[in-house]
Amino acid sequence: RIRLKAKCKLSIANTKNNIGALFMSIDRIDRARLYYAESLRIKTEILGPDHIEIARTLYNMGQLLSASMQFKNSLRFFSEALQIFKRNVGESHGELASCLCSIGTAYDEMSEDELAFSYFNQALDAVGGQSNINEVRASSLHNIGIILAKKNDIENASKAFREALELKASSHESIDLSDTQYCLANVLRLMGSIDEAIELHQEALYTRTKYLGPDHADVANSMFGLAQALVERNEHNDAISLLDECIEIQKMIHGEKSDSVADAVFLLGVVLRDVGRLAESLQRLKAALEVKSSLFGNDHSEIADISFKIAIVLCEMGKYDEAKRYNLESLRLQSAQVCKDDDEIATTLLNLGIVEQ
């Protein structure tokens, strides 16, 4: 009778856990949390605090908190789950790897890159040679690639992205696959592999447009990345068309005075100058400067670069007095940033000399 009663309670706990998962799938976070907490209470009472089922429920609660952007709180549940998993399954197991990967993701969202990098690598070790959990391996490699790219370790970032891409290849046109294609394409552009970068950007853009719709932020990001690569291959007109579309989507999502809009408008200004459309270029560059100044102030590092580009366009238009003012502003900001490359300051001084002449 006692065993039957315990079995009934466990059945109730599992049902509550499943209801919690259902509420989580429809973003009813508070309701999901209540059901997970009640499931955890019953399971702990029947099974004890060190049973693997406790770890699984703790892990679900951590995922719940991550989904609601409470990353610091999620780490407490993930960490408790991790210790129980280790005591039950050892150092190499799919659920252990998933937990390590989730901890890495939480740290990544908190901009704790070194801790995130460590946990993603631990997740790879926990996966070992198990081929049935390629999703965890691919996710860890993708995130490792992002962190390496942030560190400007472009070569190793590309290796991580390529390995992740190979693991995801069987998913055919998935959003997850397109995310890695997009990241690898950006890295390849920096490495000078422009043709492959363009091909990957086109594939990612197609998939994102198909599954997310034409007005999604990720579609705009793909357009921007593809435009950057097309500029490298001197396909300026195609890049201009993409940037025009990208800017409209970003304005609709973020508003006209957003950083992402300013980045796209700035690149459009640079490309328009490359094709000789100087008046349009100047208009875009000044618009980008206005937004960046309003967002970050007049002494931000990006202001120097935009001012420098504006000065070049003005000089080519024969407006030397105005060009001189922007050149001086660029030089002032570059001089104030001691970590800047001396070549940039030298180039600005050279431009000033040309303007003076």
Side-chain angles (χ1 to χ4, degrees):
R1 188 177 295 176
I2 293 173
R3 287 181 182 175
L4 182 61
K5 186 176 180 181
K7 187 177 277 189
C8 288
K9 282 189 173 182
L10 279 177
S11 179
I12 292 169
N14 289 330
T15 301
K16 288 180 179 291
N17 185 81
N18 293 336
I19 294 172
L22 180 62
F23 275 120
M24 183 175 172
S25 70
I26 58 174
D27 294 327
R28 297 285 300 278
I29 304 300
D30 290 338
R31 297 283 290 173
R33 184 182 300 174
L34 289 173
Y35 279 98
Y36 278 143
E38 186 61 15
S39 175
L40 181 64
R41 185 190 66 77
I42 297 170
K43 286 181 179 180
T44 304
E45 177 187 329
I46 303 299
L47 301 172
D50 211 35
H51 195 277
I52 194 168
E53 283 296 326
I54 305 302
R56 288 168 180 155
T57 304
L58 287 167
Y59 176 76
N60 287 340
M61 294 179 78
Q63 291 283 64
L64 180 72
L65 290 166
S66 285
S68 58
M69 312 297 284
Q70 299 180 53
F71 300 110
K72 189 172 182 179
N73 290 333
S74 75
L75 286 171
R76 179 169 67 86
F77 291 94
F78 285 141
S79 297
E80 286 185 50
L82 180 65
Q83 297 310 313
I84 300 171
F85 277 133
K86 284 183 176 180
R87 288 193 289 270
N88 280 273
V89 301
E91 297 293 331
S92 180
H93 190 270
E95 288 178 297
L96 178 69
S98 295
C99 191
L100 288 163
C101 187
S102 294
I103 293 173
T105 301
Y107 277 122
D108 185 43
E109 293 287 352
M110 294 165 63
S111 299
E112 297 277 0
D113 287 348
E114 294 303 321
L115 283 168
F117 189 73
S118 172
Y119 277 99
F120 287 135
N121 276 294
Q122 288 179 59
L124 288 180
D125 291 338
V127 169
Q130 301 172 78
S131 60
N132 61 327
I133 45 176
N134 279 342
E135 184 179 344
V136 177
R137 188 198 302 273
S139 178
S140 297
L141 285 164
H142 176 91
N143 288 309
I144 286 170
I146 290 174
I147 294 170
L148 289 169
K150 286 181 187 176
K151 296 179 176 181
N152 292 319
D153 188 352
I154 303 302
E155 185 174 347
N156 284 320
S158 71
K159 291 177 182 177
F161 286 135
R162 281 193 189 281
E163 195 172 342
L165 198 60
E166 288 176 11
L167 293 167
K168 294 179 179 183
S170 61
S171 56
H172 301 300
E173 285 191 5
S174 71
I175 293 301
D176 194 37
L177 177 67
S178 71
D179 289 343
T180 302
Q181 289 173 327
Y182 168 77
C183 290
L184 177 57
N186 284 331
V187 168
L188 288 172
R189 180 183 65 82
L190 295 174
M191 296 174 68
S193 300
I194 305 303
D195 290 342
E196 188 180 1
I198 288 173
E199 183 179 347
L200 285 167
H201 269 311
Q202 288 171 334
E203 291 176 12
L205 177 58
Y206 172 82
T207 303
R208 288 175 164 182
T209 304
K210 180 177 179 179
Y211 291 102
L212 299 175
D215 298 329
H216 195 277
D218 285 346
V219 172
N221 290 337
S222 280
M223 287 178 172
F224 183 80
L226 178 55
Q228 285 180 305
L230 288 170
V231 170
E232 297 284 348
R233 204 163 69 179
N234 295 317
E235 297 183 22
H236 295 95
N237 289 329
D238 287 341
I240 289 168
S241 296
L242 275 169
L243 287 168
D244 282 333
E245 286 186 67
C246 169
I247 290 166
E248 289 308 309
I249 296 169
Q250 289 177 333
K251 283 181 178 179
M252 183 172 58
I253 296 170
H254 306 296
E256 293 196 11
K257 302 297 184 181
S258 70
D259 189 33
S260 56
V261 170
D263 285 338
V265 170
F266 170 68
L267 179 58
L268 179 58
V270 172
V271 180
L272 287 168
R273 180 245 171 182
D274 289 340
V275 297
R277 293 161 62 176
L278 298 181
E280 294 172 80
S281 170
L282 183 62
Q283 180 187 10
R284 302 306 194 286
L285 292 173
K286 285 187 173 181
L289 181 66
E290 181 183 350
V291 174
K292 291 284 186 179
S293 297
S294 67
L295 291 173
F296 306 119
N298 292 325
D299 294 330
H300 193 268
S301 59
E302 292 183 60
I303 304 300
D305 190 32
I306 301 174
S307 297
F308 175 69
K309 293 293 194 298
I310 290 173
I312 291 174
V313 174
L314 287 167
C315 195
E316 291 175 350
M317 295 174 73
K319 298 182 178 182
Y320 300 114
D321 288 340
E322 191 177 358
K324 180 179 177 181
R325 290 200 300 274
Y326 281 99
N327 247 323
L328 285 169
E329 180 63 10
S330 178
L331 179 62
R332 179 186 72 80
L333 292 169
Q334 289 181 41
S335 299
Q337 297 161 27
V338 294
C339 62
K340 274 282 191 181
D341 190 347
D342 289 343
D343 287 344
E344 292 187 32
I345 298 176
T347 304
T348 305
L349 287 168
L350 177 62
N351 286 341
L352 272 172
I354 293 170
V355 171
E356 291 288 0
Q357 291 174 22

